[in-house]
């Protein structure tokens, strides 16, 4: 595994360019995200609603975790160079999850008249379970 | 249960405003400290006329300024407590910055039953244009509906 690097030098396949850990997600964070994102689905903040819907407790907005992954991505790649960003929500992210985001270069391509890199991205909790798996295409 | 008749259905376009204060609240919530998203000078140094939005914020804008953020679920008679987010993607064509007004135009593009009808996956694609008519982004999401 190669060391962390930034996108100002030319990346090669296998480079780990994204890595960031985030603090444990608590109820307060979910309440803040509810207001900040406009996603007022009560399943993320109202335990009574969550239980009535068959869940043991409220759980994290997938888009909060994708927000973390986006933050880890744009720490490594200036936002003006990000061409696309996509994720699959592989598992529900529970309260208390400590998310680690990682990404590495999997392919170098030419598209849109520029040189681009494809990055494979993951967000895992503290047990190593993949919560989000995705990719980004960035100009290099 | 949602069926194929939903495919092609469009919903009311939403116009959303990229406001600095609201964006700061989002950044603070995520613990995002990158100055490019907060500071005009830092944004200019990276070639933006004003601070750009972070990669997932388009999804928020569509809900923040929507008079009926769950119109799509209500129209298809889907219970909010039965939906999960399956996939999300963003394709960025041009910068989106503080001060922009965006128009989101969503359309249902697919309805797929899974696990013998226990789940239905609904694909929604949204085109995003700015106040100058520039097509700045496309977003797609897959909503998972638990039917059981």
């Amino acid at each position: 595994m190669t060391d962390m690097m930034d996108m100002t030098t030319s990346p090669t396949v296998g480079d780990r360019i994204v890595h960031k850990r985030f603090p444990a997600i608590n109820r307060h964070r979910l309440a803040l995200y509810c207001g900040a994102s406009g996603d007022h689905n009560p399943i993320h903040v109202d335990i009574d609603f969550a239980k009535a819907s068959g869940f043991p407790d409220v759980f994290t907005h997938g888009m909060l975790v994708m927000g973390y992954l986006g933050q880890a991505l744009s720490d490594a790649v200036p936002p003006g160079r990000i061409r696309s960003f996509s994720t699959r929500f592989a598992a529900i992210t529970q309260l208390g999850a400590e998310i680690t985001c990682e990404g590495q270069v999997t392919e170098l391509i030419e598209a849109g008249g520029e040189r681009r890199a494809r990055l494979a991205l993951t967000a895992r909790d503290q047990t190593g379970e993949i919560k989000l798996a995705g990719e980004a295409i960035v100009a290099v | 249960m949602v069926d194929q008749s939903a495919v092609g259905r469009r919903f009311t376009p939403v116009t959303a405003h990229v406001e600095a204060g609201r964006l700061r609240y989002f950044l603070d919530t995520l613990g995002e400290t990158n100055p490019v998203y907060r500071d005009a000078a830092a944004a200019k140094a990276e070639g933006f006329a004003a601070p750009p939005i972070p990669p997932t914020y388009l999804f928020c804008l569509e809900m923040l300024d929507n008079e009926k953020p769950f119109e799509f679920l209500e129209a298809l008679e889907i219970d909010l407590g039965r939906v999960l987010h399956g996939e999300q993607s963003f394709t960025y064509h041009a910068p989106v910055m503080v001060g922009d007004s965006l128009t989101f135009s969503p359309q249902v593009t697919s309805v797929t039953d899974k696990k013998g009808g226990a789940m239905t996956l609904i694909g929604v694609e949204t085109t995003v244009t700015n106040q100058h008519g520039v097509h700045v982004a496309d977003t797609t999401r897959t909503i998972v509906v638990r039917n059981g």
Side-chain angles (χ1 to χ4, degrees):
Chain A
M1 190 178 287
T2 44
D3 291 335
M4 290 283 293
M5 56 162 293
D6 70 47
M7 296 295 287
T8 54
T9 55
S10 198
T12 55
V13 170
D15 284 346
R16 285 176 68 225
I17 65 160
V18 176
H19 180 84
K20 192 166 192 174
R21 284 195 70 171
F22 293 89
I25 296 168
N26 57 25
R27 294 176 196 277
H28 182 228
R29 187 76 52 195
L30 298 187
L32 289 172
Y33 189 81
C34 177
S37 68
D39 183 347
H40 298 174
N41 186 338
I43 204 132
H44 302 299
V45 288
D46 181 342
I47 191 168
D48 300 328
F49 184 89
K51 284 184 170 172
S53 301
F55 295 97
D57 201 344
V58 298
F59 56 91
T60 305
H61 304 73
M63 290 305 293
L64 190 160
V65 185
M66 191 175 183
Y68 283 159
L69 189 55
Q71 184 180 143
L73 174 64
S74 78
D75 276 4
V77 181
R81 293 184 176 213
I82 303 171
R83 300 290 175 255
S84 67
F85 177 34
S86 61
T87 61
R88 183 171 57 81
F89 299 95
I92 283 176
T93 302
Q94 310 296 353
L95 277 166
E98 295 167 36
I99 297 296
T100 299
C101 297
E102 295 186 277
Q104 65 177 36
V105 177
T106 57
E107 192 183 3
L108 294 167
I109 52 178
E110 295 280 334
E114 61 187 9
R115 193 154 170 266
R116 295 177 177 177
R118 185 188 307 275
L119 310 180
L121 302 168
T122 57
R124 298 172 190 263
D125 71 5
Q126 68 280 12
T127 72
E129 185 183 34
I130 291 183
K131 300 300 186 179
L132 269 63
E135 70 166 44
I137 306 284
V138 303
V140 296
Chain B
M1 194 185 289
V2 182
D3 62 32
Q4 294 299 320
S5 66
V7 175
R9 190 149 176 188
R10 292 175 183 277
F11 297 94
T12 314
V14 175
T15 298
H17 304 284
V18 186
E19 297 170 11
R22 235 169 32 175
L23 177 58
R24 250 188 334 266
Y25 176 28
F26 177 82
L27 299 171
D28 290 347
T29 294
L30 287 184
E32 171 61 270
T33 57
N34 190 335
V36 72
Y37 298 123
R38 297 173 181 264
D39 175 55
K44 199 159 280 182
E46 285 201 23
F48 294 100
I53 62 169
T56 63
Y57 196 58
L58 285 170
F59 186 89
C60 304
L61 286 165
E62 188 179 359
M63 297 195 91
L64 283 163
D65 277 338
N66 196 334
E67 284 178 28
K68 292 183 278 181
F70 298 114
E71 176 194 14
F72 150 69
L73 298 176
E74 288 160 14
L76 300 180
E77 297 181 359
I78 299 166
D79 178 359
L80 198 52
R82 297 200 157 275
V83 299
L84 293 169
H85 205 157
E87 295 175 335
Q88 178 68 42
S89 79
F90 300 93
T91 305
Y92 313 100
H93 305 302
V96 174
M97 293 167 288
V98 166
D100 282 349
S101 291
L102 306 178
T103 300
F104 293 79
S105 304
Q107 180 177 24
V108 176
T109 51
S110 63
V111 173
T112 312
D113 283 330
K114 289 280 180 189
K115 298 188 178 176
M119 291 197 287
T120 304
L121 308 187
I122 304 172
V124 179
E125 291 187 14
T126 302
T127 59
V128 189
T129 53
N130 69 12
Q131 67 275 23
H132 307 297
V134 176
H135 179 192
V136 293
D138 291 293
T139 77
T140 67
R141 60 187 148 139
T142 304
I143 302 298
V144 180
V145 186
R146 300 178 297 135
N147 295 316

